[in-house]
Amino acid sequence: DQQRAFAALDKAAGALAEGVSAHDPRWTWWITDAEITWHRGMAYADLGQWRTSVPLFQESFEQRAAYRRAQYNDQAHLLNALAHLHAWHDAEPIVVQLVELAAEVGSARTANLLRRVAKRIGRTEDVPSTVADAAAALT
């Protein structure tokens, strides 16, 4: 239900704008603008609207400079979106950065996504060898 999903994200963003108070649950510390932006990107990705998801994943990555694990996840989803679009020029620096991040950040869920994306990249005909080689290194 696209309309309700985006309405819920808008409501969450509005509540976040009001700030976290002492009355909120302790776990709300991690709900940030970047997290809402990432979820919005995921919603568009789930709808197959990859072009719309790309700037959202990029924005969430940029907003989480202090959180390597979150950036690793954001970049993995950004690479997935770029691979769906065959945007190899934009994907190349992302996949290279992910090879570096994968060596220092552990996340089974993100690693599983990267395996699927790398496999898809490897099966795609128009991929430049530099992107294909970096994707193979990810696996």
Side-chain angles (χ1 to χ4, degrees):
D1 184 348
Q2 181 176 344
Q3 185 176 6
R4 284 187 8 181
F6 286 107
L9 286 167
D10 290 342
K11 183 178 179 181
L16 180 63
E18 296 172 8
V20 178
S21 76
H23 301 292
D24 292 317
R26 287 191 307 246
W27 53 263
T28 57
W29 67 267
W30 64 268
I31 302 174
T32 63
D33 289 333
E35 189 68 25
I36 301 293
T37 299
W38 180 83
H39 280 281
R40 194 175 300 278
M42 287 299 296
Y44 281 113
D46 286 345
L47 292 166
Q49 296 180 23
W50 299 106
R51 195 163 310 286
T52 306
S53 72
V54 166
L56 296 167
F57 291 137
Q58 183 65 41
E59 182 181 341
S60 64
F61 169 81
E62 291 167 1
Q63 291 175 340
R64 300 199 249 209
Y67 302 102
R68 299 293 277 170
R69 182 181 172 97
Q71 284 193 315
Y72 178 54
N73 184 61
D74 294 342
Q75 291 290 70
H77 286 281
L78 177 58
L79 177 63
N80 185 36
L82 293 169
H84 274 92
L85 294 168
H86 293 217
W88 306 124
H89 176 75
D90 295 329
E92 186 171 356
I94 304 301
V95 71
V96 168
Q97 186 175 26
L98 279 165
V99 171
E100 295 170 14
L101 282 170
E104 63 182 80
V105 179
S107 169
R109 183 175 50 168
T110 303
N112 287 333
L113 170 63
L114 288 173
R115 277 189 211 94
R116 291 190 309 271
V117 173
K119 190 181 290 187
R120 191 170 66 250
I121 289 171
R123 291 190 311 251
T124 304
E125 292 182 18
D126 66 340
V127 179
S129 62
T130 52
V131 175
D133 291 347
L138 264 178
T139 61

